[in-house]
Amino acid sequence: IANLSVILYGDVRRKDGELGYLLDRRYWSKGIMTNAVGRLCALAYQMLDIVRISALIYEPNIASRRVVEKNGFVLEGVLHQAIFKNGTFYNGCLYAHIRDHA
């Protein structure tokens, strides 16, 4: 039904994890992924030695962008023609969430 992950980088990006998620279309628009992403990020910060979590989302996927925005991710930039899906190039929206050290 769903898949969520935080993939760890290495070397100079070893304090950054990349968020990925997928939810079966039958369960869209129910708040499931928004809740799951929030819980996964909290768990990732607790268990992993990272200070940020990033997510690259293709620009037309407004619903997915809203999921990360609702969880405090901020748009850091647009990577032009960075994603090739179903024979078409799309811009990628790079979002990030920085760990709260307070």
Side-chain angles (χ1 to χ4, degrees):
I1 297 173
N3 184 342
L4 289 97
S5 64
V6 173
I7 298 171
L8 299 179
Y9 293 111
D11 196 28
V12 296
R13 294 191 64 199
R14 67 186 172 275
K15 299 292 186 176
D16 187 5
E18 182 174 1
L19 173 67
Y21 53 90
L22 176 67
L23 181 65
D24 186 294
R25 185 180 297 264
R26 295 174 293 176
Y27 301 98
W28 288 4
S29 301
K30 299 181 186 308
I32 295 168
M33 195 53 68
T34 299
N35 185 37
V37 164
R39 289 175 180 230
L40 177 62
C41 289
L43 188 60
Y45 284 133
Q46 181 183 12
M47 298 184 69
L48 305 172
D49 186 22
I50 58 175
V51 297
R52 64 179 267 135
I53 299 172
S54 57
L56 182 61
I57 302 169
Y58 78 107
E59 196 170 40
N61 192 342
I62 302 300
S64 193
R65 293 172 61 187
R66 288 292 299 139
V67 165
V68 294
E69 290 168 353
K70 287 179 183 179
N71 279 289
F73 282 69
V74 175
L75 179 65
E76 291 190 326
V78 176
L79 286 65
H80 298 279
Q81 296 189 13
I83 297 171
F84 187 70
K85 181 176 180 175
N86 299 328
T88 303
F89 284 99
Y90 296 95
N91 292 341
C93 297
L94 180 61
Y95 284 87
H97 184 278
I98 308 299
R99 178 182 210 150
D100 181 12
H101 290 288

